[in-house]
Amino acid sequence: QVLSLVIPTQLQRLTQRALHRLFHTRSCLFVVLHVALQAAVFGEYTWEVFVYCWELQFHLLLLLLPYLLLAGNLGCFLLCSRANPGTVTKSNAASLVKVYAYDGVLFQRGLVCPTCTVEKPARSKHCSVCRTCVHRFDHHCVWVNNCIGASNAGVFLLYLLSLTATAGAIAAVTAALLIHLLLLSNAMHGTYLDAQGQEQPVEIPLLVQHLFLTFPRIVFMLGFVILLTLILGGYCSFSLYLALTNQTTNEWCKARRFGGSHLPSQPQDRPLVYKNIYSKGIWRNLKEIFNPPTVLERKKK
Protein backbone atom coordinates (compact mmCIF):
# COMPACT_ATOMS: atom_id res chain seq x y z
CA GLN A 1 0.00 0.00 0.00
CA VAL A 2 2.87 2.39 0.77
CA LEU A 3 4.46 1.67 -2.62
CA SER A 4 1.13 2.19 -4.38
CA LEU A 5 0.97 5.67 -2.86
CA VAL A 6 4.64 6.61 -3.36
CA ILE A 7 4.95 5.59 -7.04
CA PRO A 8 2.05 7.78 -8.33
CA THR A 9 3.42 10.70 -6.30
CA GLN A 10 6.88 10.28 -7.84
CA LEU A 11 5.41 9.98 -11.31
CA GLN A 12 3.39 13.14 -10.73
CA ARG A 13 6.50 15.02 -9.61
CA LEU A 14 8.49 13.79 -12.61
CA THR A 15 5.68 14.80 -14.94
CA GLN A 16 5.46 18.26 -13.38
CA ARG A 17 9.23 18.72 -13.67
CA ALA A 18 9.21 17.57 -17.29
CA LEU A 19 6.36 19.91 -18.21
CA HIS A 20 7.98 22.80 -16.33
CA ARG A 21 11.28 22.20 -18.11
CA LEU A 22 9.50 21.90 -21.45
CA PHE A 23 7.42 25.07 -21.23
CA HIS A 24 9.40 27.25 -18.81
CA THR A 25 12.91 26.98 -20.22
CA ARG A 26 14.22 28.02 -23.61
CA SER A 27 14.23 24.93 -25.81
CA CYS A 28 14.45 24.22 -29.54
CA LEU A 29 12.22 21.13 -29.25
CA PHE A 30 9.10 22.86 -30.61
CA VAL A 31 11.15 24.54 -33.35
CA VAL A 32 12.40 21.12 -34.48
CA LEU A 33 8.85 19.72 -34.29
CA HIS A 34 7.58 22.69 -36.30
CA VAL A 35 10.18 22.14 -39.04
CA ALA A 36 9.56 18.37 -39.04
CA LEU A 37 5.80 18.84 -39.55
CA GLN A 38 6.37 21.27 -42.41
CA ALA A 39 8.90 18.91 -43.99
CA ALA A 40 6.48 15.97 -43.74
CA VAL A 41 3.58 17.92 -45.26
CA PHE A 42 5.61 19.42 -48.09
CA GLY A 43 7.32 16.09 -48.74
CA GLU A 44 3.95 14.45 -49.32
CA TYR A 45 2.72 17.44 -51.32
CA THR A 46 5.79 17.38 -53.56
CA TRP A 47 6.08 13.66 -54.22
CA GLU A 48 2.39 12.88 -54.75
CA VAL A 49 0.06 15.87 -54.98
CA PHE A 50 2.32 18.00 -57.16
CA VAL A 51 3.13 15.09 -59.49
CA TYR A 52 -0.53 14.06 -59.96
CA CYS A 53 -1.62 17.66 -60.48
CA TRP A 54 1.14 18.23 -63.01
CA GLU A 55 0.02 15.15 -64.97
CA LEU A 56 -3.56 16.45 -64.85
CA GLN A 57 -2.33 19.80 -66.22
CA PHE A 58 -3.15 22.00 -63.23
CA HIS A 59 -1.98 25.60 -63.60
CA LEU A 60 1.68 25.89 -62.61
CA LEU A 61 1.16 29.05 -60.54
CA LEU A 62 -1.47 27.27 -58.45
CA LEU A 63 0.93 24.40 -57.78
CA LEU A 64 3.79 26.75 -56.86
CA LEU A 65 1.67 28.94 -54.55
CA PRO A 66 2.29 26.78 -51.41
CA TYR A 67 6.05 27.00 -52.00
CA LEU A 68 5.92 30.78 -52.38
CA LEU A 69 3.92 31.07 -49.17
CA LEU A 70 6.36 28.71 -47.44
CA ALA A 71 9.29 30.94 -48.42
CA GLY A 72 7.55 33.97 -46.92
CA ASN A 73 6.61 32.00 -43.81
CA LEU A 74 10.17 30.80 -43.22
CA GLY A 75 11.44 34.36 -43.64
CA CYS A 76 8.96 35.64 -41.04
CA PHE A 77 9.81 32.73 -38.77
CA LEU A 78 13.54 33.53 -38.84
CA LEU A 79 12.93 37.24 -38.26
CA CYS A 80 10.50 36.55 -35.42
CA SER A 81 12.72 34.01 -33.67
CA ARG A 82 15.96 35.98 -34.07
CA ALA A 83 14.64 39.49 -33.37
CA ASN A 84 14.96 41.25 -30.04
CA PRO A 85 11.33 41.41 -28.84
CA GLY A 86 11.99 44.66 -26.97
CA THR A 87 14.07 43.78 -23.93
CA VAL A 88 13.87 46.25 -21.06
CA THR A 89 17.33 46.96 -19.65
CA LYS A 90 18.74 49.40 -17.12
CA SER A 91 20.02 51.56 -19.97
CA ASN A 92 16.70 51.93 -21.80
CA ALA A 93 14.15 51.53 -18.98
CA ALA A 94 13.94 55.28 -18.30
CA SER A 95 13.12 56.05 -21.93
CA LEU A 96 10.67 53.15 -22.36
CA VAL A 97 8.70 54.34 -19.32
CA LYS A 98 7.75 57.43 -21.36
CA VAL A 99 6.38 55.51 -24.37
CA TYR A 100 3.03 54.33 -22.95
CA ALA A 101 0.86 55.85 -20.24
CA TYR A 102 -0.01 53.82 -17.13
CA ASP A 103 -3.70 52.91 -17.01
CA GLY A 104 -3.73 52.49 -13.23
CA VAL A 105 -5.48 49.12 -13.48
CA LEU A 106 -3.29 46.63 -15.30
CA PHE A 107 -0.15 48.75 -15.10
CA GLN A 108 0.85 50.80 -12.08
CA ARG A 109 3.51 53.48 -12.04
CA GLY A 110 6.62 52.97 -9.93
CA LEU A 111 6.67 49.15 -9.84
CA VAL A 112 10.12 47.58 -10.01
CA CYS A 113 10.78 44.13 -11.44
CA PRO A 114 12.29 42.09 -8.56
CA THR A 115 14.35 40.01 -11.00
CA CYS A 116 15.65 42.67 -13.40
CA THR A 117 15.66 45.44 -10.73
CA VAL A 118 14.39 48.02 -13.26
CA GLU A 119 11.23 50.12 -13.26
CA LYS A 120 8.58 48.35 -15.29
CA PRO A 121 7.27 50.41 -18.24
CA ALA A 122 3.56 50.28 -18.95
CA ARG A 123 2.55 47.24 -21.02
CA SER A 124 5.73 45.36 -20.08
CA LYS A 125 6.05 42.04 -18.28
CA HIS A 126 8.83 39.84 -17.00
CA CYS A 127 9.13 36.59 -18.97
CA SER A 128 10.15 33.69 -16.77
CA VAL A 129 11.36 31.75 -19.82
CA CYS A 130 13.61 34.41 -21.32
CA ARG A 131 14.37 35.77 -17.83
CA THR A 132 14.00 39.37 -18.90
CA CYS A 133 11.36 42.10 -19.02
CA VAL A 134 9.82 42.65 -22.45
CA HIS A 135 8.29 45.93 -23.61
CA ARG A 136 4.68 45.61 -24.81
CA PHE A 137 4.81 41.94 -23.83
CA ASP A 138 2.32 39.75 -25.69
CA HIS A 139 3.33 36.18 -24.84
CA HIS A 140 6.21 33.73 -25.04
CA CYS A 141 5.84 31.58 -28.16
CA VAL A 142 7.40 28.12 -27.90
CA TRP A 143 7.07 27.61 -31.67
CA VAL A 144 9.51 30.43 -32.44
CA ASN A 145 11.39 29.99 -29.14
CA ASN A 146 11.18 33.70 -28.41
CA CYS A 147 9.02 36.31 -26.71
CA ILE A 148 6.58 38.37 -28.75
CA GLY A 149 6.93 42.03 -27.87
CA ALA A 150 6.97 45.52 -29.31
CA SER A 151 9.81 44.86 -31.76
CA ASN A 152 8.57 41.64 -33.38
CA ALA A 153 4.76 41.71 -32.95
CA GLY A 154 4.25 42.78 -36.56
CA VAL A 155 6.49 40.04 -37.93
CA PHE A 156 4.70 37.49 -35.72
CA LEU A 157 1.34 38.55 -37.16
CA LEU A 158 2.73 38.12 -40.69
CA TYR A 159 4.12 34.74 -39.62
CA LEU A 160 0.66 33.60 -38.49
CA LEU A 161 -1.01 34.92 -41.65
CA SER A 162 1.52 33.23 -43.94
CA LEU A 163 1.34 29.96 -42.00
CA THR A 164 -2.46 29.91 -42.20
CA ALA A 165 -2.35 30.79 -45.92
CA THR A 166 0.20 28.02 -46.56
CA ALA A 167 -1.93 25.37 -44.87
CA GLY A 168 -5.04 26.67 -46.66
CA ALA A 169 -3.33 26.63 -50.07
CA ILE A 170 -2.14 23.03 -49.63
CA ALA A 171 -5.61 21.98 -48.48
CA ALA A 172 -7.24 23.70 -51.47
CA VAL A 173 -4.89 22.17 -54.07
CA THR A 174 -5.13 18.70 -52.50
CA ALA A 175 -8.94 18.85 -52.30
CA ALA A 176 -9.11 20.01 -55.93
CA LEU A 177 -6.95 17.05 -56.94
CA LEU A 178 -9.12 14.48 -55.15
CA ILE A 179 -12.33 15.97 -56.54
CA HIS A 180 -10.81 15.96 -60.02
CA LEU A 181 -9.85 12.29 -59.64
CA LEU A 182 -13.40 11.42 -58.52
CA LEU A 183 -14.84 13.21 -61.55
CA LEU A 184 -12.47 11.39 -63.90
CA SER A 185 -13.36 8.00 -62.41
CA ASN A 186 -17.10 8.82 -62.50
CA ALA A 187 -17.30 7.40 -58.96
CA MET A 188 -19.66 10.17 -57.84
CA HIS A 189 -22.38 8.80 -60.12
CA GLY A 190 -21.76 5.16 -59.28
CA THR A 191 -23.90 2.75 -57.27
CA TYR A 192 -23.34 -0.14 -54.87
CA LEU A 193 -25.30 -3.07 -53.45
CA ASP A 194 -26.27 -2.82 -49.78
CA ALA A 195 -26.67 -5.71 -47.31
CA GLN A 196 -30.18 -6.42 -48.64
CA GLY A 197 -28.87 -6.62 -52.20
CA GLN A 198 -30.53 -3.38 -53.26
CA GLU A 199 -28.72 -0.89 -55.49
CA GLN A 200 -27.91 2.38 -53.73
CA PRO A 201 -26.26 5.60 -55.00
CA VAL A 202 -22.75 6.28 -53.75
CA GLU A 203 -22.70 8.70 -50.81
CA ILE A 204 -19.95 10.97 -49.48
CA PRO A 205 -18.74 8.61 -46.67
CA LEU A 206 -18.22 5.84 -49.20
CA LEU A 207 -16.38 8.22 -51.55
CA VAL A 208 -14.09 9.29 -48.70
CA GLN A 209 -13.46 5.64 -47.82
CA HIS A 210 -12.65 4.90 -51.47
CA LEU A 211 -10.20 7.80 -51.64
CA PHE A 212 -8.57 6.79 -48.36
CA LEU A 213 -8.03 3.23 -49.59
CA THR A 214 -6.67 4.48 -52.91
CA PHE A 215 -4.62 7.47 -51.73
CA PRO A 216 -4.19 6.98 -47.95
CA ARG A 217 -1.28 9.39 -47.45
CA ILE A 218 -2.90 12.18 -49.48
CA VAL A 219 -6.23 11.88 -47.64
CA PHE A 220 -4.49 11.78 -44.25
CA MET A 221 -2.45 14.87 -45.16
CA LEU A 222 -5.60 16.66 -46.35
CA GLY A 223 -7.37 15.98 -43.07
CA PHE A 224 -4.35 17.21 -41.12
CA VAL A 225 -3.94 20.46 -43.07
CA ILE A 226 -7.69 21.19 -42.93
CA LEU A 227 -7.61 20.81 -39.14
CA LEU A 228 -4.45 22.92 -39.03
CA THR A 229 -6.06 25.61 -41.19
CA LEU A 230 -9.08 25.83 -38.88
CA ILE A 231 -6.93 26.04 -35.72
CA LEU A 232 -4.50 28.54 -37.21
CA GLY A 233 -7.34 30.51 -38.73
CA GLY A 234 -9.00 30.90 -35.35
CA TYR A 235 -5.79 31.93 -33.63
CA CYS A 236 -4.88 34.24 -36.52
CA SER A 237 -8.29 35.93 -36.29
CA PHE A 238 -7.81 36.42 -32.55
CA SER A 239 -4.34 37.91 -33.07
CA LEU A 240 -5.68 40.21 -35.78
CA TYR A 241 -8.45 41.34 -33.42
CA LEU A 242 -5.85 42.15 -30.76
CA ALA A 243 -3.80 44.11 -33.29
CA LEU A 244 -6.79 46.11 -34.55
CA THR A 245 -7.81 46.98 -30.98
CA ASN A 246 -4.24 47.62 -29.79
CA GLN A 247 -4.21 44.93 -27.13
CA THR A 248 -1.75 42.22 -26.24
CA THR A 249 -2.55 38.65 -25.25
CA ASN A 250 -1.23 39.42 -21.77
CA GLU A 251 -3.52 42.47 -21.46
CA TRP A 252 -6.55 40.64 -22.85
CA CYS A 253 -6.14 37.82 -20.31
CA LYS A 254 -5.57 40.21 -17.42
CA ALA A 255 -8.56 42.37 -18.43
CA ARG A 256 -10.85 39.34 -17.98
CA ARG A 257 -9.86 39.30 -14.30
CA PHE A 258 -10.23 43.06 -13.79
CA GLY A 259 -13.81 43.56 -14.91
CA GLY A 260 -14.68 45.52 -11.73
CA SER A 261 -11.47 47.42 -11.19
CA HIS A 262 -11.38 51.04 -10.09
CA LEU A 263 -9.49 53.75 -11.88
CA PRO A 264 -7.41 55.80 -9.40
CA SER A 265 -9.32 59.00 -10.21
CA GLN A 266 -12.74 57.41 -9.71
CA PRO A 267 -14.66 56.99 -6.41
CA GLN A 268 -14.28 53.56 -4.85
CA ASP A 269 -18.06 53.12 -4.65
CA ARG A 270 -18.38 53.29 -8.46
CA PRO A 271 -16.60 50.28 -9.94
CA LEU A 272 -15.78 50.64 -13.63
CA VAL A 273 -15.15 47.98 -16.20
CA TYR A 274 -11.57 48.00 -17.45
CA LYS A 275 -11.16 50.19 -20.53
CA ASN A 276 -8.37 49.91 -23.05
CA ILE A 277 -6.68 53.34 -23.15
CA TYR A 278 -4.17 52.39 -25.84
CA SER A 279 -6.55 52.02 -28.80
CA LYS A 280 -6.24 54.86 -31.33
CA GLY A 281 -8.46 53.58 -34.11
CA ILE A 282 -8.13 50.59 -36.40
CA TRP A 283 -5.58 51.96 -38.88
CA ARG A 284 -3.37 53.64 -36.30
CA ASN A 285 -3.47 50.52 -34.14
CA LEU A 286 -2.42 48.37 -37.08
CA LYS A 287 0.32 50.83 -37.96
CA GLU A 288 1.64 50.70 -34.40
CA ILE A 289 2.09 46.93 -34.65
CA PHE A 290 4.52 47.30 -37.56
CA ASN A 291 6.01 50.63 -36.45
CA PRO A 292 6.13 50.76 -32.63
CA PRO A 293 6.04 54.30 -31.18
CA THR A 294 9.23 55.87 -29.88
CA VAL A 295 9.73 58.34 -27.07
CA LEU A 296 10.26 61.19 -29.54
CA GLU A 297 6.97 60.45 -31.31
CA ARG A 298 5.06 60.61 -28.02
CA LYS A 299 6.70 63.90 -27.07
CA LYS A 300 5.60 65.44 -30.37
CA LYS A 301 2.00 64.56 -29.59
Side-chain angles (χ1 to χ4, degrees):
Q1 292 181 349
V2 174
L3 288 176
S4 62
L5 292 175
V6 171
I7 292 177
T9 303
Q10 291 179 342
L11 289 176
Q12 184 178 3
R13 290 177 179 176
L14 290 174
T15 302
Q16 290 176 349
R17 289 177 182 176
L19 291 175
H20 186 273
R21 187 173 183 180
L22 184 62
F23 290 101
H24 293 83
T25 56
R26 289 186 65 86
S27 172
C28 294
L29 177 62
F30 286 97
V31 175
V32 174
L33 179 60
H34 173 207
V35 175
L37 288 174
Q38 282 192 328
V41 170
F42 272 90
E44 178 62 24
Y45 176 81
T46 302
W47 295 113
E48 289 204 79
V49 177
F50 187 93
V51 173
Y52 284 131
C53 290
W54 181 257
E55 293 177 354
L56 294 172
Q57 297 182 342
F58 276 54
H59 199 284
L60 181 60
L61 182 60
L62 179 64
L63 299 181
L64 294 179
L65 180 60
Y67 297 105
L68 298 176
L69 292 171
L70 175 65
N73 177 252
L74 290 177
C76 292
F77 171 78
L78 291 175
L79 289 174
C80 195
S81 61
R82 296 290 182 179
N84 182 344
T87 304
V88 181
T89 62
K90 293 183 179 179
S91 60
N92 65 7
S95 60
L96 291 178
V97 165
K98 303 175 184 178
V99 176
Y100 291 111
Y102 292 88
D103 64 357
V105 180
L106 301 184
F107 306 105
Q108 305 288 341
R109 184 180 297 276
L111 294 181
V112 176
C113 176
T115 305
C116 302
T117 64
V118 295
E119 184 178 357
K120 299 177 66 174
R123 312 191 78 181
S124 68
K125 185 180 182 297
H126 182 85
C127 176
S128 59
V129 180
C130 297
R131 298 179 181 179
T132 184
C133 285
V134 177
H135 191 226
R136 200 185 183 279
F137 178 86
D138 190 276
H139 71 288
H140 181 89
C141 180
V142 296
W143 294 104
V144 301
N145 198 26
N146 197 8
C147 275
I148 308 302
S151 300
N152 61 352
V155 180
F156 181 73
L157 183 60
L158 293 177
Y159 164 73
L160 286 179
L161 290 170
S162 60
L163 190 61
T164 305
T166 303
I170 293 178
V173 174
T174 305
L177 168 65
L178 294 178
I179 293 174
H180 195 81
L181 291 174
L182 286 176
L183 292 175
L184 288 177
S185 64
N186 203 31
M188 299 179 69
H189 303 287
T191 58
Y192 71 98
L193 296 178
D194 59 14
Q196 287 74 32
Q198 297 180 350
E199 191 174 17
Q200 300 289 344
V202 174
E203 298 177 347
I204 293 179
L206 192 60
L207 291 175
V208 173
Q209 182 181 5
H210 167 70
L211 288 173
F212 185 77
L213 293 175
T214 310
F215 309 101
R217 291 190 299 272
I218 295 180
V219 174
F220 180 80
M221 184 196 72
L222 177 60
F224 175 74
V225 293
I226 288 177
L227 178 62
L228 194 62
T229 303
L230 294 175
I231 295 175
L232 289 172
Y235 183 46
C236 192
S237 300
F238 174 69
S239 298
L240 188 59
Y241 160 75
L242 293 179
L244 295 177
T245 56
N246 205 333
Q247 298 182 78
T248 65
T249 304
N250 177 54
E251 292 166 2
W252 186 87
C253 292
K254 283 186 174 181
R256 307 280 77 77
R257 303 195 300 265
F258 282 87
S261 297
H262 293 76
L263 292 175
S265 59
Q266 299 296 329
Q268 294 296 318
D269 58 346
R270 297 181 59 187
L272 297 177
V273 176
Y274 164 74
K275 183 179 180 181
N276 177 21
I277 67 171
Y278 305 111
S279 182
K280 307 169 186 175
I282 291 178
W283 297 115
R284 292 179 64 185
N285 291 340
L286 194 60
K287 179 183 177 182
E288 184 175 312
I289 293 295
F290 297 98
N291 185 26
T294 63
V295 182
L296 293 177
E297 287 176 347
R298 188 165 181 239
K299 283 183 177 180
K300 290 178 181 179
K301 297 175 184 178

